[in-house]
Amino acid sequence: MNLVLSLTNVNEAEWIDRLQALLPDRKIESWKSDVSDPQKVEYLFAWKPDPAVFAALPNLKVIFSLGAGVDHLTSLPQLPHLPLVRIVDADLTSRMTEWVVFQTLFHHRDHLIFAAQQEAGIWKDHKQPAAKEVRIGVLGLGELGLSSAKALKSLGFEVAGWSRTPKNVEGIQSFAGDDQLDAFLKRTDILINLLPSTPTTQKLVNAERLAMLPQSGALGGPVYINAGRGATQDEAAIDTALASGQLKGASLDVFAVEPLPQTSPLWKHKNCIITPHVAAPSDPQALSEYVVRQIKRFEKGEPLENLVDLEVGY
């Protein structure tokens, strides 16, 4: 009943130490070193893993994804048909909500304008709309999207959400399915993308859909914010929309290729905030405790929580 980690661009030693402290009677090992007894490994903790790990561990029973997204696993043809558990953690959700609210307020309160004025030594005020005049649309009403939507609603914004299936959340208008996506976009001044990466969401935010965002809203132009997955957006279309003024501004934490190449034109837009996939960093202690809790549930015959539906990809 041992556990192996296959983590790319992550400090595995920190995770191993924390997991080992919580599971002192188990062997916790890195895939990068020689696994002492592959036959005894039943659990895999993965982030962009080496695809060879699956065939080398013949008795795997459960796979845990480090992070809320699972596309780094579901996109692998070698992924075995085993229970796949995604991370749902209060700390991760809180961090994402903080980032989304911060970026929303950053654009809502015209901080880009005031930062430029400070640099130039200009003292000038600008008319700012009340939150109740600004229509926010959240793409994806899962755990992270719903938390962000509720937080923004509490600040007085008019909030709607779009998801694959209808949601019933007090105070938040629900749009669902392909038939209602256009209507959702046409009422949205600040578009927040927290969608997972699945075959149906690839480049969902494209030139045609960005053009649906209204130019006549309270902010004087639409804003696009993405902390979900880079594969869900067309970055060339975002570049064009920012350059033309079709988008008033953007905040981007995720990209199709990470790190974002220095050749990307997105770096050069003064109305675009770029952060390096840090909206919701994983806390080793909190997430290690989550994984251990799931292992103990599984071994007591209790159902695993937050299982991924491999058919839909999240």
Side-chain angles (χ1 to χ4, degrees):
M1 299 186 220
N2 296 334
L3 173 65
V4 161
L5 290 78
S6 182
L7 310 176
T8 299
N9 297 327
V10 175
N11 180 4
E12 288 189 338
E14 182 178 15
W15 290 90
I16 289 173
D17 288 346
R18 292 178 186 271
L19 287 163
Q20 192 69 75
L22 294 166
L23 294 170
D25 58 333
R26 313 292 178 94
K27 185 174 283 292
I28 315 293
E29 298 179 287
S30 169
W31 168 249
K32 295 173 186 175
S33 60
D34 290 331
V35 176
S36 57
D37 193 344
Q39 298 289 331
K40 290 185 178 180
V41 177
E42 295 186 347
Y43 306 106
L44 175 66
F45 196 22
W47 177 255
K48 299 181 180 178
D50 178 355
V53 70
F54 303 117
L57 305 176
N59 294 318
L60 275 181
K61 291 184 177 178
V62 183
I63 301 170
F64 296 94
S65 170
L66 171 59
V70 296
D71 51 293
H72 65 103
L73 287 163
T74 56
S75 61
L76 296 175
Q78 300 92 338
L79 181 70
H81 199 84
L82 292 172
L84 173 57
V85 178
R86 63 187 177 89
I87 294 295
V88 175
D89 178 76
D91 178 75
L92 188 149
T93 301
S94 176
R95 290 169 187 257
M96 177 64 81
T97 302
E98 289 172 3
W99 189 91
V100 168
V101 170
F102 173 78
Q103 298 298 333
T104 299
L105 294 176
F106 190 94
H107 292 285
H108 168 59
R109 298 302 300 267
D110 280 332
H111 190 74
L112 284 169
I113 292 175
F114 293 117
Q117 288 184 182
Q118 178 180 342
E119 187 174 355
I122 297 172
W123 181 281
K124 181 182 179 182
D125 67 354
H126 295 269
K127 183 179 182 299
Q128 298 183 16
K132 65 182 179 180
E133 300 174 65
V134 178
R135 300 163 297 178
I136 289 177
V138 181
L139 278 169
L141 283 181
E143 187 82 15
L144 301 179
L146 190 55
S147 176
S148 295
K150 288 179 177 178
L152 291 165
K153 180 66 180 178
S154 74
L155 293 175
F157 291 100
E158 183 182 336
V159 182
W162 181 87
S163 51
R164 187 172 58 92
T165 57
K167 307 290 184 182
N168 185 14
V169 183
E170 184 177 356
I172 297 173
Q173 186 179 6
S174 174
F175 293 80
D178 293 341
D179 292 345
Q180 296 184 7
L181 180 56
D182 290 2
F184 165 79
L185 294 170
K186 289 175 181 177
R187 51 77 58 209
T188 294
D189 300 314
I190 300 179
L191 178 64
I192 297 168
N193 182 356
L194 292 174
L195 289 170
S197 176
T198 71
T200 60
T201 63
Q202 299 299 298
K203 292 191 177 181
L204 186 141
V205 178
N206 56 24
E208 179 184 359
R209 293 187 172 117
L210 288 172
M212 293 180 186
L213 300 174
Q215 296 292 319
S216 57
L219 296 178
V223 170
Y224 172 64
I225 296 171
N226 188 7
R229 283 292 179 263
T232 65
Q233 65 191 10
D234 183 335
E235 290 168 17
I238 295 168
D239 169 50
T240 298
L242 286 167
S244 69
Q246 185 183 66
L247 277 177
K248 180 182 179 183
S251 290
L252 306 174
D253 185 58
V254 291
F255 304 90
V257 176
E258 296 180 357
L260 181 65
Q262 287 296 314
T263 54
S264 171
L266 293 172
W267 288 108
K268 300 186 183 302
H269 291 291
K270 293 183 178 180
N271 54 342
C272 181
I273 304 302
I274 290 175
T275 56
H277 205 142
V278 295
S282 299
D283 175 62
Q285 185 61 38
L287 299 195
S288 293
E289 291 172 357
Y290 172 87
V291 169
V292 170
R293 187 167 66 250
Q294 296 304 314
I295 289 174
K296 291 182 176 179
R297 286 178 62 89
F298 181 74
E299 293 181 354
K300 288 191 291 186
E302 298 175 1
L304 291 162
E305 298 172 312
N306 305 307
L307 280 173
V308 173
D309 183 337
L310 296 177
E311 297 299 320
V312 297
Y314 59 89

